Amino acid sequence: MKKKLSRRFLALFLTLVLLVPNLAFAIENDGAASEQAEAPVFKDVSVHDPSVIKTGDTYYVFGSHLAAAKTKDFMQWDEVANLVNPDNPLFENVVEELKETFDWAESDTLWAADVIELNGKFYMYYNACKGDSPRSAMGIAVADNIEGPYKDQGIFLKSGMWDEVSPDGTIYDARIHPNAVDPDVFFDKNGKLWMMYGSYSGGIFIMEMDPETGEPLPNQGYGKKLLGGNHSRIEGAYVQYSKETDYYYMYLSFGGLDSTGGYNMRVVRSENPDGPYYDAEGNDMINVKANPDLPIFDDASIEPYGVKLMGSHLFKREVGEAGTGIGTGYVSPGHNSVYYDEATDEQYLIFHTRFPEKGEMHQVRVHKMYMNEDGWPVVSPYRYAGESLERVEAADISGDYKFINHGKDISAEIKQSVLVTLNDDGTISGDVTGEWSLSGENEATLQVDGKTYKGVFVRQWDPTSEEYVLTFTALSNEGIAIWGSKTASQSDAEIVAAVKNDLSLGDTTNVISHLTLPTTGLRGTQITWQSSHPEIVSDDGKVTRPVGKESVTVTLTATITKGEMTDTKQFTVVVLPQKEGKLVAHYAFEDNLKDSTGNVTDGAVTGNRIDNTGGTSAFAEGKVGQAAVFDGASGIRLPDGLISSNKYTVSLWLNPQELNKYTTSFFGGSSNTKWISFLPMGHDGVANDTMLWSGEAWYDAGTGMKIPANEWSHIAFSVDNGSIKIYVNGEEKFAGENFPDVFTTENCVFALGVNYWDTPYKGLIDELLVYDAKVLTAEEIKAYYETGEIPAEAPGEETPGTETPGEETPGTDPPGEETPGTDPPGEETPGTETPGEETPGTETPGEETPGTETPGEETPGTEPPGEETPGTEPPGKETPGTEAPEDVTVEPVDNEKETTGEKLPDTATSTYNTLLIGAIVLIAGAIAFLIVRRKTTAE
């Protein structure tokens, strides 16, 4: 009986021994799967300058242009309100209620708002600014419900009273006094209420507030200055107290907010809410300001200071890499707020950002933050997708990473990732060298090129590869942030196969411009090209279109090489013949919108934007016969593809009834960054002169004069492969080189009087002539102005090989994809912001517009683009009634897609743990078996 019992025990034990490793493996896999989880789902929204507040289980953000949105998880957002108009639900009629504010600020929109809960009600601190000067007003509106309606309680602070006494009793001076904008109202740890505010001009200030009324305590003037001055580009202050470190952290945005302004987020800290504030190097921020002896908005004076958390960057996707597109990154991220969850001790950074190759379109983004060993916040590299800090094993860390160093500069440069390797032995190799180490559960220390960075390792969702990856984020004592994102390990053979599979030239069935031929791919893969007809398409992609009427088919062969591995891939390219230069369209507007040449279709009436309907068509006495009447709310959409080369001439007669900055008379474009716009009245960068403007490289072609209102003026401009000339009334007014190639594609859109963002043209237009592949001479233009005789429609002197060198591949930018003209420079411009899309010509001249920064001290009404100016913000500053086409968006994660990520790889550590468990059970079982057997024998 006892022998049977011993045998049964042995059998049971052996069964358990066999099962334990499998159970451990199952538990391990289940844990990995739980870490992996399902792909996150995002729903995005556009709120510029988002300020966060939580009520109940919902987070709200309020921002510029009376925009607001809400979320329960920081991932899926819903719009609550947008645009300053009578229909905005936050007020019963904001236009009427805040009339005093708009009148003082000479503006029709609002800037960054802040909402705080006081005494059971919600207090909105609103503000409006003229923009081209710091003439601003700030007030309070109160509501019982966070979503309104809010009731105005009046203005409590003003700025910009030129040559008048300011609240501190001295004559207002914008170099030392604040601009009354961008409020942040907060309680300190002792229950005192404060308001921090200011932007450019005299710097950032703080005032103590009355918690009963929400207004400033008396006799403070403008309050206490904390940093900035002399028009240094520092704004968007937001304060968050940390129980973990017992510091007050002031978050700031340095630089200009448009896509070329170098906007970036920084942080400084203090033991007291009203300072003094210091950066990581111990610099007292009260001394940080622009050099008055240098040109206005001198960024060089301020860029060494503050802890830079994030600037423009791109985790670059290479040919052959998982995912699609160019990668994941931001352009000019900034004007943030912070939410600290006291229950979990977790922090969230909420900000707006633009995106690489997406112009001025902006959206809200949220990233988690963690305190590093030195008590400074480090920002996770990717947007928040529900992650939290977890234990990281050293064995999981080694591998290849995309690496970004954010530096300390303020520039339009997008910091692109490079490849580094964190080796098993704790060294770092690749584009940077050094050492790495892990302490605690996830604390990271990296020595990179002689500098020490401290932060954390954290698993995050990579939106490009659509999988969870290990990342690191760390800061140096100099206040510089570095990020890393782990990439998959692949053999040379796998890399070559991936590059071959991914390599594409787009639509090559109707080529008319140069091709962009990739020469590198994943992990430094080399790609070389060979053409079957190099006289038509060269080995480096230059296209020489054939003469005649026949297309030529060319075979391009790509040879892909990585190490000892190589493969080839072929592409068939059909190059269209060079067309003859001619007059392609003549719209005489003789009581109709017909083209008299018969080459193209008729024009069509639009509403107040190029892509909407509604508008009216009318005609009146013109320069020659009848002319088209533009009522300031309508435009004319011209046929797509009107111009499809880099040689063209446009001629038209203008009689503007009103002159408004950024209002277009003739508009055309091929993408959201490639467009031209002829402005009867230009922006501040050309002293508001008549100009031709381009959204590619921000080309300002100012004529040095202003055409008059209520008079006829003849305008002609020509582009000849980058050489540009503008004529007014037969006289050359501008000549320049390197004008962007905008139209070398067959899918460009064109319009008269409207674009996607700005105030429509009001006045008359007559006798529109459009020449494609033909450039009129100065003599022909002069003769036409004097005689009215249309220049000959004979073919131009086009010769093979004169097509614009460009990098655009036909078929890669169809209409409805990225929309022309969404990218002009500028600071936030009241009254011109497209809902969700930043609008050209609407951003404050506070953002550096090419050629707009002139040295000298500020004079009333002439403040350079340092203050957000109404009507001056690029496409992307949300402009009432200026909604850009729906297709112009950042490519978001597919909201309908719910895929499950792959399991995280098994590690050496986890395998060791599994074997160890099995060994322990085996030994314990053996001992027990021996004890039982011995006892049995003894009995």
Side-chain angles (χ1 to χ4, degrees):
M1 176 71 182
K2 292 185 178 180
K3 288 184 179 179
K4 289 182 181 179
L5 183 61
S6 298
R7 291 193 189 101
R8 288 175 183 173
F9 180 84
L10 179 61
L12 178 60
F13 164 70
L14 291 174
T15 302
L16 288 173
V17 167
L18 293 173
L19 285 175
V20 163
N22 291 330
L23 288 171
F25 182 74
I27 292 169
E28 176 188 336
N29 282 349
D30 185 64
S34 66
E35 284 186 24
Q36 191 72 356
E38 292 186 350
V41 179
F42 300 101
K43 182 180 179 183
D44 294 320
V45 71
S46 294
V47 175
H48 214 264
D49 314 322
S51 178
V52 66
I53 176 175
K54 185 180 183 183
T55 179
D57 63 350
T58 304
Y59 305 92
Y60 285 82
V61 290
F62 292 83
S64 290
H65 312 291
L66 206 54
K70 61 184 178 181
T71 180
K72 292 183 182 296
D73 60 5
F74 284 133
M75 295 165 61
Q76 298 194 44
W77 293 86
D78 292 306
E79 183 179 279
V80 172
N82 202 0
L83 304 180
V84 177
N85 58 47
D87 297 325
N88 191 301
L90 295 177
F91 285 79
E92 289 183 357
N93 186 333
V94 68
V95 176
E96 292 181 358
E97 287 195 51
L98 301 190
K99 184 177 186 303
E100 181 185 1
T101 299
F102 296 131
D103 288 348
W104 170 264
E106 300 176 27
S107 170
D108 58 3
T109 195
L110 297 170
W111 282 16
D114 187 44
V115 175
I116 187 171
E117 189 171 1
L118 294 175
N119 309 314
K121 295 181 180 293
F122 295 94
Y123 283 60
M124 176 188 288
Y125 289 79
Y126 63 80
N127 57 109
C129 179
K130 183 181 179 184
D132 58 358
S133 76
R135 186 174 178 86
S136 303
M138 185 182 295
I140 299 174
V142 180
D144 294 325
N145 186 294
I146 193 168
E147 295 189 19
Y150 287 82
K151 298 294 182 182
D152 184 34
Q153 306 298 301
I155 297 170
F156 66 85
L157 193 66
K158 292 180 179 179
S159 63
M161 55 289 293
W162 300 111
D163 300 322
E164 297 179 18
V165 175
S166 70
D168 70 356
T170 63
I171 299 299
Y172 185 82
D173 184 340
R175 295 168 300 178
I176 61 174
H177 288 131
N179 188 12
V181 296
D182 295 355
D184 169 39
V185 183
F186 65 97
F187 285 100
D188 68 16
K189 64 179 180 181
N190 298 314
K192 281 187 178 181
L193 187 65
W194 303 85
M195 181 183 77
M196 195 170 287
Y197 72 103
S199 169
Y200 291 26
S201 298
I204 305 299
F205 286 64
I206 190 168
M207 304 176 75
E208 189 173 350
M209 312 294 280
D210 184 340
E212 295 301 319
T213 65
E215 296 188 0
L217 293 176
N219 304 317
Q220 295 185 84
Y222 276 126
K224 179 181 179 181
K225 180 177 177 177
L226 298 176
L227 57 90
N230 294 331
H231 305 298
S232 51
R233 301 204 298 174
I234 303 174
E235 64 178 15
Y238 191 92
V239 179
Q240 180 64 53
Y241 172 71
S242 171
K243 290 182 178 179
E244 181 180 350
T245 64
D246 198 27
Y247 280 113
Y248 294 89
Y249 292 85
M250 185 203 304
Y251 295 84
L252 300 158
S253 292
F254 280 39
L257 66 80
D258 70 303
S259 61
T260 59
Y263 221 38
N264 63 92
M265 288 178 283
R266 305 196 182 204
V267 65
V268 293
R269 71 187 184 189
S270 173
E271 294 178 350
N272 305 294
D274 58 345
Y277 282 85
Y278 299 91
D279 65 12
E281 294 182 290
N283 296 303
D284 188 339
M285 296 299 290
I286 192 65
N287 300 315
V288 177
K289 64 188 70 175
N291 185 340
D293 297 326
L294 295 178
I296 202 165
F297 307 134
D298 162 41
D299 288 338
S301 296
I302 63 173
E303 67 179 14
Y305 303 102
V307 173
K308 185 177 177 183
L309 298 175
M310 182 196 305
S312 298
H313 66 277
L314 176 66
F315 282 111
K316 184 179 179 182
R317 177 188 171 272
E318 298 177 297
V319 177
E321 192 172 351
T324 59
I326 62 172
T328 297
Y330 299 149
V331 170
S332 292
H335 205 125
N336 70 281
S337 56
V338 174
Y339 182 76
Y340 173 69
D341 189 329
E342 294 188 357
T344 62
D345 287 330
E346 294 185 310
Q347 288 195 99
Y348 302 82
L349 184 74
I350 302 101
F351 57 97
H352 74 253
T353 184
R354 292 156 176 78
F355 303 88
E357 298 186 1
K358 295 294 181 181
E360 298 300 328
M361 191 278 294
H362 65 84
Q363 291 178 340
V364 172
R365 286 293 181 267
V366 179
H367 285 227
K368 284 285 286 289
M369 291 195 300
Y370 311 97
M371 287 296 176
N372 75 359
E373 182 182 322
D374 296 327
W376 288 102
V378 293
V379 181
S380 53
Y382 292 120
R383 72 186 299 181
Y384 174 66
E387 74 276 358
S388 292
L389 280 180
E390 297 176 353
R391 182 179 182 84
V392 176
E393 300 295 342
D396 293 335
I397 294 173
S398 59
D400 295 332
Y401 288 76
K402 293 181 181 181
F403 175 85
I404 289 174
N405 184 323
H406 285 278
K408 286 291 283 285
D409 57 322
I410 301 172
S411 73
E413 177 190 2
I414 297 175
K415 310 288 189 185
Q416 295 196 13
S417 58
V418 297
L419 191 67
V420 303
T421 301
L422 273 58
N423 300 300
D424 291 335
D425 62 1
T427 61
I428 300 174
S429 57
D431 282 78
V432 301
T433 58
E435 298 178 349
W436 68 269
S437 64
L438 170 70
S439 59
E441 293 192 342
N442 44 49
E443 293 178 4
T445 300
L446 299 100
Q447 303 282 342
V448 177
D449 294 338
K451 302 291 184 182
T452 301
Y453 298 81
K454 297 178 182 179
V456 297
F457 291 101
V458 57
R459 291 194 185 279
Q460 287 198 275
W461 175 257
D462 175 0
T464 298
S465 64
E466 296 190 336
E467 61 184 3
Y468 288 92
V469 300
L470 187 64
T471 71
F472 62 77
T473 173
L475 281 172
S476 72
N477 290 331
E478 293 76 27
I480 297 174
I482 59 171
W483 288 350
S485 176
K486 194 173 185 182
T487 64
S489 298
Q490 294 173 282
S491 67
D492 286 354
E494 290 172 326
I495 291 172
V496 168
V499 171
K500 178 179 180 179
N501 181 63
D502 190 41
L503 187 60
S504 173
L505 299 181
D507 183 2
T508 57
T509 58
N510 294 285
V511 172
I512 62 175
S513 64
H514 296 322
L515 299 174
T516 299
L517 304 181
T519 57
T520 60
L522 181 62
R523 297 290 199 282
T525 302
Q526 298 300 303
I527 307 172
T528 58
W529 296 85
Q530 185 173 7
S531 171
S532 63
H533 292 285
E535 74 282 5
I536 301 296
V537 181
S538 68
D539 291 347
D540 60 358
K542 288 186 173 60
V543 173
T544 303
R545 293 168 66 182
V547 178
K549 297 184 178 180
E550 299 296 327
S551 300
V552 174
T553 299
V554 178
T555 299
L556 285 176
T557 301
T559 300
I560 306 161
T561 304
K562 173 68 173 171
E564 299 297 319
M565 302 303 301
T566 188
D567 204 346
T568 61
K569 186 173 184 176
Q570 291 188 334
F571 298 87
T572 299
V573 179
V574 179
V575 181
L576 301 184
Q578 180 66 58
K579 62 182 176 182
E580 298 177 340
K582 65 178 181 179
L583 175 68
V584 295
H586 174 203
Y587 292 93
F589 304 118
E590 298 302 324
D591 293 321
N592 60 55
L593 301 179
K594 293 184 178 298
D595 161 44
S596 62
T597 70
N599 293 323
V600 295
T601 58
D602 298 346
V605 177
T606 72
N608 65 348
R609 296 292 175 264
I610 191 174
D611 60 341
N612 67 13
T613 58
T616 60
S617 174
F619 303 91
E621 182 179 354
K623 182 65 180 177
V624 179
Q626 297 293 98
V629 176
F630 293 77
D631 61 4
S634 307
I636 296 174
R637 177 72 179 261
L638 301 171
D640 293 352
L642 200 57
I643 301 171
S644 59
S645 73
N646 199 28
K647 295 184 68 169
Y648 54 91
T649 301
V650 176
S651 164
L652 70 168
W653 286 90
L654 296 177
N655 187 342
Q657 183 179 335
E658 295 179 358
L659 292 171
N660 299 304
K661 285 189 291 188
Y662 304 103
T663 289
T664 187
S665 56
F666 179 91
F667 178 83
S670 57
S671 78
N672 73 323
T673 57
K674 283 191 170 185
W675 48 265
I676 68 167
S677 185
F678 192 86
L679 312 181
M681 180 180 184
H683 55 60
D684 294 345
V686 295
N688 304 133
D689 289 336
T690 301
M691 70 180 295
L692 182 66
W693 196 20
S694 176
E696 178 79 354
W698 303 120
Y699 200 106
D700 293 347
T703 60
M705 51 88 67
K706 298 174 177 65
I707 65 171
N710 300 308
E711 291 183 23
W712 284 104
S713 298
H714 178 252
I715 305 297
F717 58 88
S718 64
V719 174
D720 186 355
N721 288 320
S723 297
I724 175 178
K725 293 185 177 181
I726 304 175
Y727 304 85
V728 179
N729 295 332
E731 301 294 329
E732 182 181 299
K733 295 295 182 180
F734 179 88
E737 299 296 328
N738 301 314
F739 191 74
D741 175 12
V742 174
F743 299 131
T744 308
T745 176
E746 297 187 326
N747 300 305
C748 297
V749 296
F750 298 89
L752 296 176
V754 292
N755 57 25
Y756 291 104
W757 325 276
D758 297 308
T759 302
Y761 174 81
K762 189 171 186 178
L764 304 174
I765 297 180
D766 201 4
E767 294 296 312
L768 172 67
L769 305 173
V770 180
Y771 295 81
D772 190 18
K774 179 177 176 65
V775 176
L776 296 184
T777 65
E779 293 73 21
E780 288 175 313
I781 290 171
K782 178 77 169 178
Y784 172 70
Y785 167 70
E786 293 176 342
T787 68
E789 182 177 346
I790 297 174
E793 300 182 22
E797 302 177 4
E798 194 73 33
T799 56
T802 59
E803 199 70 47
T804 316
E807 308 208 330
E808 180 171 347
T809 304
T812 60
D813 237 338
E817 292 288 324
E818 301 177 317
T819 307
T822 59
D823 208 356
E827 264 265 31
E828 300 190 5
T829 306
T832 58
E833 181 159 359
T834 310
E837 299 295 330
E838 305 235 324
T839 307
T842 62
E843 179 152 313
T844 314
E847 290 308 337
E848 302 181 291
T849 302
T852 63
E853 291 194 10
T854 50
E857 303 203 354
E858 185 177 291
T859 55
T862 61
E863 179 161 349
E867 303 298 342
E868 309 187 30
T869 308
T872 61
E873 180 163 327
K877 266 313 250 196
E878 309 180 327
T879 309
T882 61
E883 182 164 1
E886 293 180 358
D887 289 358
V888 183
T889 66
V890 164
E891 298 173 11
V893 174
D894 186 354
N895 291 340
E896 300 301 321
K897 186 186 297 182
E898 295 187 7
T899 58
T900 302
E902 296 178 1
K903 183 182 77 66
L904 296 173
D906 296 332
T907 64
T909 301
S910 60
T911 302
Y912 173 79
N913 290 339
T914 301
L915 294 173
L916 182 61
I917 292 170
I920 291 171
V921 172
L922 181 61
I923 293 169
I927 293 171
F929 176 73
L930 290 173
I931 292 172
V932 170
R933 184 172 181 180
R934 184 176 180 183
K935 185 177 180 181
T936 302
T937 303
E939 290 177 352

